[in-house]
């Protein structure tokens, strides 16, 4: 019991030390590294803040505005007007899909429905191509194996098959 108590107590002391360290280092980080990035952060806020009636100011990406931030390489209905504002590797499109999956009753608008239709069409196309590829492989397999001549007695030379075969008389 004593060892268990001290193992838990050790973690409490470690957490306390971490908290003290954060309190001492946070002002240093804010005073040294943040001023260099402040201008870029303010520019981002100015460029990507959108005022929505009834909600207030929000980040433009949260509105899933494909017309402004969309990327056709990731099935967006059209390329966005802000090439520099596009997310990397279709992050907005992926976030949209995740949000729609978690909120299926949400009305995503015309652009969102177009995006979902493009994704579904792509999925169907991939499934059709996969089915055709499997059929071609199966046909090639049948063709290569139907060309093989039947040789009677081949399986009788394999001891396991010969022992299990009913044509072979039981051994004494």
């Amino acid at each position: 019991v004593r060892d268990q108590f001290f193992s838990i107590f050790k973690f409490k002391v470690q957490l306390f030390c971490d908290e003290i360290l954060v309190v001492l280092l946070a002002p240093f980080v804010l005073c040294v590294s943040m001023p260099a990035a402040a201008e870029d952060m303010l520019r981002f806020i100015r460029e990507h803040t959108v005022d929505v009636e009834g909600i207030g100011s929000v980040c433009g990406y949260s509105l899933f505005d494909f017309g402004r931030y969309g990327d056709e390489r990731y099935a967006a209905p059209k390329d966005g007007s802000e090439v520099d504002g596009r997310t990397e590797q279709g992050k907005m499109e992926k976030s949209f899909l995740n949000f729609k999956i978690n909120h299926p009753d949400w009305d995503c608008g015309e652009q969102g429905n177009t995006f979902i239709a493009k994704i579904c069409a792509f999925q169907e196309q991939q499934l059709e191509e996969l089915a055709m590829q499997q059929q071609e492989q199966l046909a090639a397999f049948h063709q290569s194996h139907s060309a093989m001549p039947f040789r009677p007695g081949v399986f009788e030379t394999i001891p396991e098959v010969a022992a299990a075969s009913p044509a072979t008389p039981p051994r004494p």
Side-chain angles (χ1 to χ4, degrees), residues 38-50 58-59:
E39 193 172 315
D40 291 335
M41 287 188 286
L42 291 174
R43 183 177 44 79
F44 177 85
I45 291 169
R46 266 188 248 110
E47 291 176 359
H48 300 288
T49 299
V50 178
V58 297
C59 180

Side-chain angles (χ1 to χ4, degrees), residues 52-111:
V52 178
E53 190 175 322
I55 296 175
S57 298
V58 297
C59 180
Y61 293 105
S62 67
L63 299 175
F64 301 119
D65 185 0
F66 292 106
R68 187 171 176 191
Y69 303 112
D71 191 344
E72 283 187 327
R73 294 177 298 175
Y74 296 95
K78 60 182 178 177
D79 265 343
S81 59
E82 292 192 24
V83 176
D84 295 337
R86 288 188 201 147
T87 57
E88 293 181 12
Q89 300 178 352
K91 185 176 178 181
M92 186 189 75
E93 289 80 4
K94 293 173 188 176
S95 294
F96 173 85
L97 287 175
N98 186 41
F99 189 84
K100 183 64 177 166
I101 288 168
N102 289 307
H103 304 281
D105 296 332
W106 172 61
D107 179 23
C108 55
E110 183 180 336
Q111 287 184 343

